[in-house]
Amino acid sequence: MIDYGFHPPTMSWPVAGTLMIEPTESESLAELDRFCEAMIAIREEIRAIEAGEADAENNVLKHAPHTTADLVADWERPYSRQVAVFPTPAAQAHKFWPAVNRIDQAYGDRNLMCSCLPMEAYGAG
């Protein structure tokens, strides 16, 4: 989503195997259309993997988001820089450049990591 200029939206999974995304009421029709264009393009990226047209491990989805460092570094990926950093005309016109690539895939989403002090530190003093 970030390569398309969107922060990952607030999402829920109300029914197994589905995804529900709720944009706010303040979004314009143009913004909703841009979002739909991005979702359709991402689905095409998935379809390319399913059809064997894109490598299952080394593809635009696995490496997203793409940073400015990716853009200027040596490029040894099976897809073009254009596809990576400007996947749609809207992304080219209004590109958001993330500072870092994906750090740990979904590990942090699936594993709670508390950086709080131990409970003993909060004792009465």
Side-chain angles (χ1 to χ4, degrees):
M1 293 299 300
I2 292 174
D3 281 336
Y4 289 87
F6 293 97
H7 183 276
T10 301
M11 302 177 294
S12 66
W13 291 264
V15 177
T18 68
L19 171 66
M20 179 176 72
I21 300 171
E22 296 180 293
T24 65
E25 295 80 8
S26 62
E27 301 297 343
S28 67
L29 179 58
E31 187 69 358
L32 293 173
D33 286 344
R34 188 172 76 87
F35 181 78
C36 290
E37 178 184 56
M39 294 301 291
I40 291 167
I42 291 168
R43 178 62 184 107
E44 285 302 308
E45 293 169 359
I46 295 167
R47 188 204 53 75
I49 295 166
E50 291 171 337
E53 299 164 9
D55 186 281
E57 295 303 317
N58 188 8
N59 59 66
V60 70
L61 289 170
K62 290 271 187 168
H63 291 293
H66 295 85
T67 65
T68 54
D70 292 328
L71 179 64
V72 299
D74 290 338
W75 194 261
E76 296 183 18
R77 297 183 179 171
Y79 53 91
S80 72
R81 285 184 170 110
Q82 177 74 27
V83 167
V85 299
F86 300 123
T88 62
Q92 189 168 5
H94 304 285
K95 180 66 180 176
F96 171 79
W97 292 100
V100 297
N101 295 107
R102 195 176 303 182
I103 296 171
D104 64 3
Q105 304 299 351
Y107 183 86
D109 296 333
R110 295 184 180 129
N111 299 277
L112 179 62
M113 294 182 243
C114 183
S115 59
C116 305
L117 296 173
M119 291 306 294
E120 297 79 33
Y122 298 101

